[in-house]
Every structure is written in C-alpha cells, then in structure tokens.
Amino acid sequence: MTAPDLGRPPALAAAIRHELPGLRLLTDPVDREAYRLDETAYLHAGLPGLVALPTSAAEVAALVRLAAEHRVPVVPRGAGTGLSGGAAGIEGGLTIAMTGMNRVLEVDRDNLVVVTQPGVINADLKAAVAADGLFYPPDPASYEICSIGGNLGTNAGGLCCVKYGQTRDSVLSLEVVLADGSVIRTGGRNVKDVAGYALAHLFVGSQGTLGIITEATLRLRPAPPPRVTMLAFFAAVEDAGRAVAGIAAAGLMPVTLELMDRVTIAAVDDWQHLGLDREAAAMLMIESDMPGNAGGDELARAEEVCLGCAATSTVRAADTQEADWLRNARRLAYRALERLGNARMEDIGAPRARVPELIAAIERIGARHGVLIGTFGHAGDGNLHPSLVLDRDDASAEERMRAVCADLYQAALDLGGTVTGEHGIGASRREWLEPQRGRRAVEVMRSIKTALDPLGTLNPGRVL
Ligand SMILES: Cc1cc2nc3c(=O)[nH]c(=O)nc-3n(C[C@H](O)[C@H](O)[C@H](O)COP(=O)(O)OP(=O)(O)OC[C@H]3O[C@@H](n4cnc5c(N)ncnc54)[C@H](O)[C@@H]3O)c2cc1C
C-alpha cells in the first residue's frame, strides 16, 4: 500500500524532533516493522517512515500539523488488532500509535460516565469502572488486547451488542485532533443533547480518516447481575439460524446470542477440551443478565424456541466459572481456526430474520469453492464471521480467498445485509463500499472527508 507523492520522513523527523524533543519517535526500520500490519495478515501493507508515540493531545496535534506541512500521510493506530487494515502502515507515512495515552482520567459515578484516553485497553477500562460497581458494555472478543481508541475508530461490536449496542451507543463526547492540528470537543456529559450535528457519532467508525480521538467520555451502566448461560446444539446450521430469528421474534433480549458451526466447535474443542458436542452442526451460546429469576426465565423461553427449531440438546453452565470458560471458548474461535491453516476472518451481516439464509449461503459458497469455512459470530445481531481456512502451502490462497470473499459480500448484499458488521471497510473492502451504499451516498462521504481533511493526509486509502 503506497500513497502517491508522499513521504518526506527525514525532513518531518527533523521538524518533529525540533518541536517535540521529548517525544518517543521510532526511526529504526526494525522498530517500524512492528507497525506495518495490524491483524489483517493477508494485506500487503507499507512500512511507516516514522512511528510516533505521543503522550498528550498537544503532541498529537503538533504531529498532525507537522505531517500536513510536510505532506506526509498519517495513520492513527491503537493496539493494532484491527481486521480491515485500518491501522496498517503506509510506505513512508507517519504512524501515530496511541498506546502511550493509556490513562483512565475520571470515573464519574454520579453521571454514570468515564473519561478515558484512547490507548486504554478495553478490558482495563472495564476493570477500572467495575471497581465502582459500574459496567462498560462494549466487549469485542479481542477485549483483552484492543484499545478504546481502536474500538471508537471501528465502532467495535462484540458479544453483548445484541442487548447493549455497538461502541457508538456508549459515546457521549470526544476530543478530536483534526487534520490541520486544531482540536475540537464534541458532546459533553449530558444524556440528552441535540445541539447541532452529532459530530461524535461521525468520528466513531471513521477509522482515523476524519480525525484522531485523544479523549472519550463514555456512558456507563450499573453493573448487571452475573449472567446465566446456556448452550443449545443443532443437527443443522439452518436450524440454529431459525432459532436466532425466533428468539428475536419472541421479543427476547439475551445479553449474548452467539453461534459456532461444526468446524469451529471442533477447532475450539481440540484446543480447549471443553467436551462440546462435536456431532452437532451448530451451537448457540445464549446468556441472560436479568436480575433474580428473570434470567432463568429468559433462558427457559429461549430454550423453548431452540427446541421448537429442532435443537438436539441444551445444557446450562453449572456456575459462573463454567460460564466464563464457555464464553472464553467462543472468544477463542478465530485463534482456534488459525491453528488449522492460513485463516481469514470475514464479517458479513444480514437482518436478523435472514440469518438462516445467510448461513445457507455461506455453506453453499464454501462448497462451491472447495474452501473450508468455519463460521461463528454474533448471530443475535445478524453478524457472522465466516472464516476461510486454507493450507499454509497453497500458492493460490490469496486469489481463492479473494474469490470466496467476493461471493460472501455479494450474498450478504443480496439479503439486504452488509459487507462488514463491525471490522470496518478499512483498506480491505473498499471496492465494496459503493455497491453497498450507492454512488451518491459515497459522494456525500467524500465531501465530508474533503471538508475535514482537504489535503487528504489522514489515513488515505482507507474507507473511501
Ligand atoms: C481474535 C480477534 C477477535 C476480534 N473480535 C472482535 C469483535 O468481537 N468485535 C469487533 O468489533 N472487533 C473484533 N476484532 C477486531 C479488532 O479487535 C477491533 O476492530 C478493535 O476495535 C481494534 O482496536 P485496536 O486498538 O486494535 O485498533 P487498531 O487496529 O489499531 O485500529 C483500528 C482502526 O481505528 C483507528 N484508530 C485507532 N485509534 C484511533 C484514534 N485514537 N482515533 C481515531 N482513529 C483511531 C485506526 O486508524 C484503524 O482504522 C477482533 C480481532 C481479533 C484479532
């Protein structure tokens, strides 16, 4: 990935050193290499010319301004766990890694908000607010390794979106460094606030193309009761899909409604030895965090729906520790599939009622291309991660993966779905933005980009 007519890192390095003598700036190619890729391993990304690790918004602002003056592209980066290449390097560019801005600044119990820097790891933020009996819901499966800034950059989802929404639904206010180095603050601590355009929501999910988030004020909830957890096994994946649609149609609101297919169940069980039903074609993990008996009642109603959709068995976690193991097993689904070969996780979605059709389409596409696909994901949101697994020595893997993905994206669009539910368009799905959104909508996005970043220095070649 090379940006046109850019890359004067030596002059930029001198200017940065002059203006920010205390800043940590990586120039050694060995150090910079670690910032070439995110978790999107199949991309051909560039080597950043410079990597800066700022510790304040003022430093970020100065870096962005100097980069614009030198016409060097800027890649904002969190923990680098992204799955669309949003934080991958640009040849000769300046990567600004936000990992040093990793302090939780304030837990405001009275207003149920937390103010945080973007480099804080999601799990650390959860733990910090849990100490006050509070709950920060967004929980990507990668929550122990990804940062809040990256979650905001991608509008990350996760296992409990089905009840609590994506990252955007927890955002009240952001401090953002714009492309010219100026700093704005969007929103505040008000629960209701409709003064002007919803700028905070515009930056969330923009993958570092509109500004760099240097502080976030996020909504909290009182900590819910411990979850009750159930697994339901099915002899056909489509039956599990029907159960997902049925649970939504029954008006139930479980906190987790996750799916794993046969390939994924076997991969996870081979590794974690949990005794899952390996004969099953699919498994749903369903959890409730309703108080008292209501949690058990909600699971009982979900169980009824599953049995009505030909579930072969259901089983409840005996205690919270067993529930933690099961949830963790689901979180390890992709790592388990990566053990089988060269893996690529996709991120398609469809309206919930069409999940059965989406699952059937994934199976057909895998069979047609002769490619092993393990499917798991946030079925309750209609968001699935069909994960392609090819032999490590398959010389045509890249080409085959591209062909399979094109069919997966088209199948999602044919169902009124999306080519990405939570990982983002990034660098890897750009040609699919217009087929999904339409030409005029993409023109509107371009004009927003131009208004905020006329020189095009912020993360060029991503999203648009
Ligand atoms: C095993 C595994 C499981 C995963 N599970 C999930 C899941 O369940 N749900 C989910 O949504 N994702 C999941 N992901 C993907 C990834 O973890 C998320 O996209 C996460 O939000 C990325 O955070 P990060 O800190 O690693 O960001 P990065 O990868 O560093 O960056 C992501 C994007 O955000 C931008 N960005 C980073 N920081 C800032 C900032 N301060 N200001 C503006 N833009 C910024 C970057 O430019 C980039 O475009 C998973 C990844 C892995 C490897």
Side-chain angles (χ1 to χ4, degrees):
M1 206 174 300
T2 313
D5 182 32
L6 294 163
R8 271 167 258 150
L12 176 60
I16 292 173
R17 287 215 171 91
H18 176 72
E19 193 162 326
L20 302 169
L23 177 91
R24 205 167 150 224
L25 187 66
L26 308 181
T27 53
D28 187 313
V30 176
D31 294 336
R32 286 185 278 127
E33 193 58 51
Y35 295 83
R36 185 191 288 273
L37 285 173
D38 56 9
E39 285 266 356
T40 322
Y42 56 86
L43 278 183
H44 301 281
L47 180 65
L50 295 168
V51 177
L53 292 115
T55 53
S56 68
E59 285 184 347
V60 176
L63 284 165
V64 170
R65 181 175 43 75
L66 290 170
E69 279 168 23
H70 289 78
R71 303 289 193 273
V72 170
V74 170
V75 177
R77 184 175 172 110
T81 70
L83 287 166
S84 62
I90 292 177
E91 193 68 33
L94 167 67
T95 290
I96 302 184
M98 304 298 285
T99 41
M101 294 183 64
N102 59 358
R103 281 182 305 126
V104 176
L105 300 172
E106 183 190 351
V107 180
D108 176 354
R109 223 190 169 292
D110 294 340
N111 287 305
L112 288 179
V113 301
V114 59
V115 183
T116 183
Q117 291 188 317
V120 172
I121 295 296
N122 179 302
D124 294 340
L125 186 77
K126 280 182 187 300
V129 304
D132 277 309
L134 298 171
F135 176 52
Y136 175 66
D139 66 339
S142 51
Y143 81 119
E144 286 170 313
I145 52 172
C146 63
S147 73
I148 294 298
N151 294 170
L152 293 163
T154 55
N155 188 19
L159 277 70
C160 69
C161 295
V162 60
K163 181 160 184 172
Y164 295 115
Q166 279 179 264
T167 299
R168 179 177 287 129
D169 299 301
S170 290
V171 176
L172 283 175
S173 166
L174 301 174
E175 178 186 80
V176 185
V177 172
L178 299 178
D180 62 358
S182 59
V183 182
I184 60 165
R185 196 171 272 279
T186 71
R189 294 185 191 201
N190 303 307
V191 173
K192 295 175 75 177
D193 183 348
V194 293
Y197 297 146
L199 291 182
H201 287 191
L202 177 64
F203 288 105
V204 177
S206 66
Q207 296 202 265
T209 59
L210 301 180
I212 303 188
I213 298 159
T214 47
E215 190 185 290
T217 303
L218 305 169
R219 303 173 79 122
L220 301 173
R221 294 167 184 266
R227 297 174 187 187
V228 283
T229 304
M230 180 178 83
L231 301 183
F233 294 92
F234 298 83
V237 196
E238 289 79 4
D239 291 340
R242 285 194 299 117
V244 169
I247 287 169
L252 300 178
M253 192 70 80
V255 64
T256 313
L257 181 45
E258 295 284 312
L259 175 137
M260 295 200 316
D261 74 350
R262 187 197 311 273
V263 174
T264 314
I265 292 171
V268 167
D269 207 48
D270 281 343
W271 186 19
Q272 297 292 310
H273 310 293
L274 290 163
L276 300 175
D277 178 358
R278 303 170 63 114
E279 298 300 309
M283 179 192 104
L284 290 181
M285 187 173 98
I286 307 166
E287 296 188 294
S288 175
D289 65 355
M290 290 177 74
N293 293 336
D297 292 348
E298 188 172 40
L299 283 195
R301 288 184 62 201
E303 186 172 23
E304 228 172 84
V305 174
C306 290
L307 293 172
C309 294
T312 49
S313 65
T314 60
V315 55
R316 300 222 183 170
D319 50 37
T320 49
Q321 188 181 42
E322 198 172 287
D324 283 347
W325 286 339
L326 294 173
R327 208 173 304 117
N328 198 39
R330 157 57 194 92
R331 288 197 173 111
L332 290 173
Y334 184 55
R335 296 302 189 210
L337 290 167
E338 280 184 316
R339 284 159 44 97
L340 305 182
N342 182 0
R344 169 170 174 165
M345 192 200 306
E346 276 307 324
D347 180 39
I348 54 179
R352 276 185 274 216
R354 305 200 76 173
V355 167
E357 293 165 85
L358 187 64
I359 291 172
I362 295 168
E363 292 209 317
R364 272 198 311 274
I365 291 166
R368 188 161 69 236
H369 288 270
V371 167
L372 180 67
I373 299 184
T375 298
F376 59 90
H378 318 297
D381 305 321
N383 179 201
L384 295 177
H385 297 310
S387 299
L388 291 54
V389 184
L390 279 87
D391 285 347
R392 293 193 204 284
D393 55 4
D394 183 341
S396 60
E398 195 173 326
E399 199 182 317
R400 294 177 71 202
M401 282 187 174
R402 203 171 310 123
V404 174
C405 289
D407 284 358
L408 289 173
Y409 298 152
Q410 192 56 57
L413 295 186
D414 291 344
L415 292 170
T418 176
V419 300
T420 175
E422 56 183 21
H423 296 164
I425 288 287
S428 61
R429 303 181 179 91
R430 281 170 66 209
E431 70 271 31
W432 287 89
L433 183 62
E434 195 167 312
Q436 178 169 338
R437 293 284 183 228
R439 192 177 56 82
R440 188 69 191 112
V442 174
E443 276 171 14
V444 172
M445 292 184 205
R446 278 191 208 290
S447 46
I448 292 170
K449 169 73 176 168
T450 307
L452 286 176
D453 181 17
L455 296 175
T457 39
L458 283 182
N459 226 358
R462 280 82 205 262
V463 184
L464 293 171

